[in-house]
Amino acid sequence: MLLTDTHTHIYYHAGTEKLQEHLQRCFDNGIQRLFLPNVNSASIKPVFDTVAAYPEHCFPMLGLHPCDVKENYVEELETIRKSLETHKVHAIGEIGLDLYWDKSTLEIQKDAFRTQVQWAKELNLPIDIHCREAFTELFELLEELHDDKLFGVLHCFTGSLEQAHQAIDLGFALGIGGVVTFKKAGLDQVVKEIDLKHIVLETDAPYLAPVPFRGKENESSYLVYVAQKVADLHQISIEKVAEITTENSKRIFGI
């Protein structure tokens, strides 16, 4: 069984024994491929330190997280753009819109998003999108920017079935994580109706741990609980879910 975690911040433990322990638990559970999204200029180094330590298993992305789009966002973008010139990455991310913490930065979040989408198109890369309490605004942006070069993953998807189809129609796979195991979230009923060819798996570790670890620190090895839930919903084996979702990740990220 070969599972792929398409979104993990495991690099927060870069250079520590905890990183080695977490990755060993991943390998023990068949999770051999991990995609690492950058969040700001300060996280560039730990991302690439982790990739350098585990080049066969860890794959980098670079982007400016919407919660880090602040007054200095232009300088942040310049720093990240320079890193793109010297490092190979497999996506621009995580980027997007977040209106949960601060609605006042929406316009500069949009500006940063447009800039980074342009990078992705120039480099023929997917984008990895963060969206929290901003589906309407995000879909307006994606409609504006839509063309045959715009594709990627809507990370940590928690929307409705209608929003799922809207994302798919715009060329995006749905990143399904621990929320699918939450009893009252309703995501399980959405995932049940979505063809697995449109789904990739993720943890977003150390956030959003699945049941039975909900409320605790998440880690990428817990991806097996997400995969098993998806398997149960589609009434197929976890091995088949691993096969399909890993192939989807290879198609999207090119590795």
Side-chain angles (χ1 to χ4, degrees):
M1 183 171 71
L2 176 59
L3 281 162
T4 301
D5 186 349
T6 60
H7 194 110
T8 173
H9 301 276
I10 198 168
Y11 59 87
Y12 288 171
H13 303 303
T16 70
E17 288 186 6
K18 198 167 186 179
L19 176 65
Q20 299 169 18
E21 292 165 359
H22 278 219
L23 280 166
Q24 189 57 56
R25 286 195 288 274
C26 284
F27 303 155
D28 292 344
N29 283 286
I31 302 142
Q32 298 282 342
R33 292 159 43 84
L34 301 94
F35 286 83
L36 282 48
N38 188 45
V39 293
N40 55 31
S41 62
S43 59
I44 294 172
K45 186 178 187 300
V47 165
F48 286 106
D49 284 351
T50 304
V51 171
Y54 296 92
E56 300 300 314
H57 302 283
C58 294
F59 309 103
M61 314 181 203
L62 279 182
L64 183 62
H65 191 291
C67 291
D68 286 286
V69 177
K70 298 174 181 175
E71 293 81 3
N72 67 334
Y73 80 100
V74 173
E75 293 90 50
E76 282 284 288
L77 288 174
E78 288 175 355
T79 300
I80 293 169
R81 178 62 176 159
K82 287 177 182 176
S83 290
L84 285 170
E85 295 170 1
T86 55
H87 295 89
K88 179 177 176 57
V89 301
H90 300 282
I92 302 298
E94 66 186 284
I95 67 175
L97 300 178
D98 191 308
L99 298 182
Y100 178 79
W101 295 108
D102 189 352
K103 294 180 174 62
S104 71
T105 61
L106 176 59
E107 290 309 312
I108 59 174
Q109 285 186 44
K110 287 181 178 179
D111 186 55
F113 186 81
R114 290 188 183 100
T115 296
Q116 293 177 97
V117 166
Q118 187 58 40
W119 296 349
K121 290 180 179 182
E122 291 170 0
L123 296 168
N124 295 311
L125 290 173
I127 59 174
D128 190 66
I129 301 177
H130 169 105
C131 180
R132 190 172 187 188
E133 296 194 3
F135 273 116
T136 299
E137 294 82 359
L138 175 68
F139 283 132
E140 286 176 358
L141 262 180
L142 293 177
E143 291 283 0
E144 169 197 322
L145 299 167
H146 180 65
D147 60 22
D148 59 2
K149 285 194 167 186
L150 183 65
F151 70 105
V153 176
L154 189 48
H155 141 68
C156 193
F157 181 78
T158 55
S160 66
L161 184 58
E162 180 184 0
Q163 289 166 332
H165 286 303
Q166 194 172 356
I168 291 165
D169 290 344
L170 285 166
F172 289 86
L174 309 178
I176 302 301
V179 176
V180 76
T181 69
F182 298 175
K183 284 185 177 180
K184 296 182 180 179
L187 184 60
D188 54 346
Q189 296 308 306
V190 174
V191 169
K192 192 174 182 179
E193 299 299 322
I194 299 296
D195 192 308
L196 288 181
K197 69 182 179 181
H198 300 302
I199 286 175
V200 292
L201 304 182
E202 62 170 66
T203 59
D204 199 19
Y207 315 109
L208 295 172
V211 173
F213 303 101
R214 187 175 182 181
K216 299 178 181 178
E217 181 180 339
N218 197 7
E219 60 179 78
S220 285
S221 66
Y222 297 165
L223 191 70
V224 291
Y225 295 92
V226 177
Q228 186 61 63
K229 180 65 175 182
V230 173
D232 293 344
L233 290 168
H234 281 263
Q235 298 184 316
I236 59 176
S237 69
I238 188 174
E239 289 81 8
K240 190 64 177 176
V241 168
E243 177 189 342
I244 294 171
T245 56
T246 287
E247 284 305 311
N248 293 344
S249 75
K250 290 178 179 179
R251 183 182 72 249
I252 294 163
F253 294 109
I255 189 168

Coordinates of all heavy atoms in Angstrom, one line a residue, residues 191-228:
V191 N -18.2 13.5 0.5 CA -17.1 12.7 0.0 C -17.7 11.4 -0.6 O -17.3 10.9 -1.7 CB -16.1 12.3 1.0 CG1 -15.1 11.2 0.6 CG2 -15.3 13.6 1.4
K192 N -18.8 10.9 0.0 CA -19.5 9.7 -0.5 C -20.0 9.9 -1.9 O -20.1 8.9 -2.6 CB -20.6 9.4 0.5 CG -21.3 8.1 0.3 CD -22.3 7.8 1.4 CE -23.0 6.5 1.3 NZ -24.0 6.3 2.4
E193 N -20.3 11.1 -2.3 CA -20.9 11.4 -3.6 C -19.9 11.8 -4.6 O -20.3 12.0 -5.8 CB -22.0 12.5 -3.4 CG -23.1 12.2 -2.5 CD -23.9 11.0 -3.0 OE1 -24.1 10.8 -4.2 OE2 -24.3 10.2 -2.1
I194 N -18.6 11.9 -4.3 CA -17.6 12.4 -5.2 C -16.8 11.2 -5.7 O -16.3 10.4 -5.0 CB -16.7 13.4 -4.5 CG1 -17.5 14.6 -4.0 CG2 -15.5 13.8 -5.4 CD1 -18.1 15.4 -5.1
D195 N -16.6 11.2 -7.0 CA -15.8 10.1 -7.7 C -14.4 10.3 -7.1 O -13.8 11.4 -7.0 CB -15.8 10.3 -9.2 CG -15.2 9.2 -9.9 OD1 -14.0 8.8 -9.6 OD2 -15.8 8.6 -10.9
L196 N -13.7 9.2 -6.8 CA -12.4 9.2 -6.2 C -11.3 9.8 -7.1 O -10.3 10.2 -6.6 CB -12.0 7.8 -5.7 CG -12.7 7.3 -4.5 CD1 -12.2 5.9 -4.1 CD2 -12.6 8.2 -3.3
K197 N -11.6 9.9 -8.4 CA -10.6 10.5 -9.3 C -10.4 12.0 -9.0 O -9.5 12.6 -9.5 CB -11.1 10.2 -10.7 CG -12.3 11.0 -11.2 CD -12.6 10.7 -12.6 CE -13.9 11.4 -13.1 NZ -14.2 11.0 -14.5
H198 N -11.3 12.5 -8.2 CA -11.3 14.0 -7.9 C -10.7 14.2 -6.5 O -10.8 15.4 -6.0 CB -12.6 14.6 -8.0 CG -13.2 14.5 -9.4 ND1 -12.6 15.0 -10.5 CD2 -14.4 14.0 -9.8 CE1 -13.3 14.8 -11.6 NE2 -14.4 14.1 -11.2
I199 N -10.2 13.2 -5.8 CA -9.8 13.3 -4.4 C -8.4 13.0 -4.2 O -7.9 12.0 -4.8 CB -10.7 12.4 -3.5 CG1 -12.1 13.0 -3.4 CG2 -10.1 12.2 -2.2 CD1 -13.1 12.2 -2.7
V200 N -7.7 13.8 -3.4 CA -6.4 13.4 -2.8 C -6.5 13.5 -1.3 O -7.4 14.1 -0.7 CB -5.3 14.3 -3.3 CG1 -5.0 14.1 -4.8 CG2 -5.6 15.8 -3.0
L201 N -5.6 12.8 -0.6 CA -5.7 12.7 0.8 C -4.6 13.6 1.5 O -3.6 13.8 0.9 CB -5.5 11.3 1.3 CG -6.4 10.2 0.8 CD1 -6.1 8.8 1.3 CD2 -7.9 10.6 1.0
E202 N -4.9 14.0 2.7 CA -4.0 14.9 3.4 C -4.2 14.9 4.9 O -5.2 14.4 5.3 CB -4.1 16.4 2.9 CG -5.5 16.9 3.2 CD -5.6 18.4 2.9 OE1 -5.5 18.8 1.8 OE2 -5.8 19.2 3.9
T203 N -3.3 15.4 5.6 CA -3.5 15.5 7.1 C -3.5 17.0 7.5 O -4.2 17.3 8.5 CB -2.3 14.8 7.9 OG1 -1.1 15.4 7.5 CG2 -2.4 13.3 7.6
D204 N -2.8 17.9 6.9 CA -2.6 19.2 7.4 C -1.9 19.2 8.8 O -2.1 20.1 9.6 CB -3.9 20.0 7.5 CG -3.6 21.5 7.5 OD1 -2.5 22.0 7.2 OD2 -4.5 22.3 7.9
A205 N -1.1 18.1 9.0 CA -0.4 18.0 10.3 C 0.4 19.3 10.5 O 1.0 19.7 9.6 CB 0.4 16.8 10.3
P206 N 0.4 19.8 11.8 CA 0.0 19.2 13.0 C -1.5 19.6 13.4 O -1.9 19.5 14.6 CB 0.9 19.8 14.0 CG 1.2 21.2 13.5 CD 1.2 21.0 12.0
Y207 N -2.3 20.1 12.4 CA -3.6 20.5 12.7 C -4.6 19.4 12.3 O -4.4 18.5 11.5 CB -3.9 21.8 11.9 CG -2.8 22.8 12.0 CD1 -2.0 23.1 10.9 CD2 -2.5 23.5 13.2 CE1 -0.9 24.0 11.0 CE2 -1.5 24.4 13.3 CZ -0.7 24.6 12.2 OH 0.4 25.5 12.3
L208 N -5.9 19.6 12.8 CA -7.0 18.8 12.4 C -6.8 17.3 12.4 O -7.1 16.6 11.4 CB -7.4 19.2 10.9 CG -7.9 20.7 10.8 CD1 -8.1 21.1 9.4 CD2 -9.2 20.9 11.6
A209 N -6.4 16.8 13.5 CA -6.2 15.4 13.7 C -7.5 14.6 13.5 O -8.6 15.1 14.0 CB -5.6 15.0 15.0
P210 N -7.5 13.5 12.9 CA -8.7 12.7 12.7 C -9.1 12.0 14.0 O -8.3 11.8 14.9 CB -8.4 11.7 11.6 CG -6.9 11.5 11.8 CD -6.3 12.8 12.2
V211 N -10.4 11.6 14.0 CA -10.8 10.6 15.0 C -10.0 9.4 14.9 O -9.8 8.9 13.7 CB -12.3 10.4 14.9 CG1 -12.8 9.3 15.8 CG2 -13.2 11.6 15.1
P212 N -9.4 8.8 15.9 CA -9.7 9.0 17.3 C -8.7 10.0 18.0 O -8.6 9.9 19.3 CB -9.5 7.6 17.9 CG -8.3 7.0 17.0 CD -8.5 7.6 15.7
F213 N -8.0 10.8 17.3 CA -7.0 11.7 17.9 C -7.5 13.2 17.9 O -6.7 14.1 18.1 CB -5.7 11.6 17.1 CG -5.1 10.2 17.1 CD1 -5.2 9.4 16.0 CD2 -4.5 9.7 18.2 CE1 -4.7 8.1 16.0 CE2 -4.0 8.4 18.2 CZ -4.1 7.6 17.1
R214 N -8.8 13.4 17.6 CA -9.3 14.7 17.4 C -9.0 15.6 18.7 O -9.1 15.1 19.8 CB -10.8 14.7 17.2 CG -11.4 16.1 16.9 CD -12.9 16.0 16.6 NE -13.3 17.4 16.2 CZ -14.6 17.7 15.9 NH1 -15.5 16.7 15.9 NH2 -14.9 18.9 15.6
G215 N -8.5 16.8 18.4 CA -8.1 17.7 19.5 C -6.7 17.6 19.9 O -6.2 18.4 20.7
K216 N -6.0 16.6 19.4 CA -4.6 16.4 19.8 C -3.7 16.8 18.6 O -4.2 17.1 17.5 CB -4.3 14.9 20.1 CG -5.1 14.4 21.3 CD -4.9 13.0 21.6 CE -5.7 12.5 22.8 NZ -5.5 11.1 23.1
E217 N -2.4 16.8 18.8 CA -1.5 17.1 17.7 C -1.6 16.1 16.6 O -1.6 14.9 16.8 CB -0.1 17.2 18.1 CG 0.9 17.6 17.0 CD 2.4 17.7 17.5 OE1 2.6 17.8 18.7 OE2 3.3 17.5 16.6
N218 N -1.8 16.6 15.4 CA -1.9 15.6 14.2 C -0.5 15.3 13.7 O 0.4 16.0 13.9 CB -2.7 16.3 13.1 CG -3.3 15.4 12.1 OD1 -3.2 14.1 12.2 ND2 -3.9 15.9 11.0
E219 N -0.4 14.2 13.0 CA 0.8 13.8 12.3 C 0.5 13.0 11.1 O -0.6 12.4 11.0 CB 1.7 13.0 13.3 CG 1.2 11.7 13.8 CD 2.2 11.0 14.7 OE1 2.4 11.4 15.8 OE2 2.8 10.0 14.2
S220 N 1.4 13.0 10.2 CA 1.1 12.4 8.9 C 0.8 10.9 8.9 O 0.1 10.4 8.0 CB 2.3 12.7 7.9 OG 2.3 14.0 7.5
S221 N 1.3 10.2 9.9 CA 1.0 8.8 10.0 C -0.5 8.5 10.2 O -1.0 7.4 9.9 CB 1.8 8.1 11.1 OG 1.4 8.6 12.4
Y222 N -1.2 9.5 10.7 CA -2.7 9.4 10.9 C -3.4 9.4 9.6 O -4.7 9.3 9.6 CB -3.2 10.5 11.9 CG -2.6 10.5 13.3 CD1 -2.8 11.6 14.1 CD2 -1.9 9.4 13.8 CE1 -2.3 11.6 15.4 CE2 -1.4 9.4 15.0 CZ -1.6 10.5 15.8 OH -1.0 10.5 17.1
L223 N -2.8 9.6 8.5 CA -3.4 9.6 7.2 C -4.2 8.3 7.0 O -5.2 8.2 6.3 CB -2.4 9.8 6.1 CG -3.0 10.0 4.7 CD1 -3.7 11.4 4.6 CD2 -2.0 9.9 3.6
V224 N -3.7 7.2 7.6 CA -4.4 5.9 7.5 C -5.9 6.0 7.9 O -6.7 5.3 7.4 CB -3.7 4.8 8.2 CG1 -2.4 4.5 7.5 CG2 -3.5 5.1 9.6
Y225 N -6.1 6.8 8.9 CA -7.5 6.9 9.5 C -8.4 7.7 8.4 O -9.6 7.4 8.3 CB -7.5 7.7 10.8 CG -6.8 6.9 11.9 CD1 -5.5 7.1 12.2 CD2 -7.5 5.9 12.6 CE1 -4.8 6.3 13.1 CE2 -6.9 5.2 13.6 CZ -5.5 5.4 13.9 OH -4.9 4.6 14.8
V226 N -7.8 8.6 7.8 CA -8.6 9.4 6.7 C -8.8 8.4 5.6 O -9.9 8.3 5.0 CB -7.8 10.6 6.2 CG1 -8.5 11.3 5.1 CG2 -7.5 11.6 7.4
A227 N -7.8 7.7 5.1 CA -7.9 6.7 4.0 C -9.0 5.7 4.3 O -9.8 5.3 3.5 CB -6.6 6.1 3.7
Q228 N -9.0 5.2 5.6 CA -9.9 4.1 5.9 C -11.4 4.7 5.9 O -12.3 4.0 5.5 CB -9.6 3.5 7.3 CG -10.5 2.3 7.7 CD -10.3 1.2 6.7 OE1 -9.2 0.6 6.6 NE2 -11.4 0.8 6.0

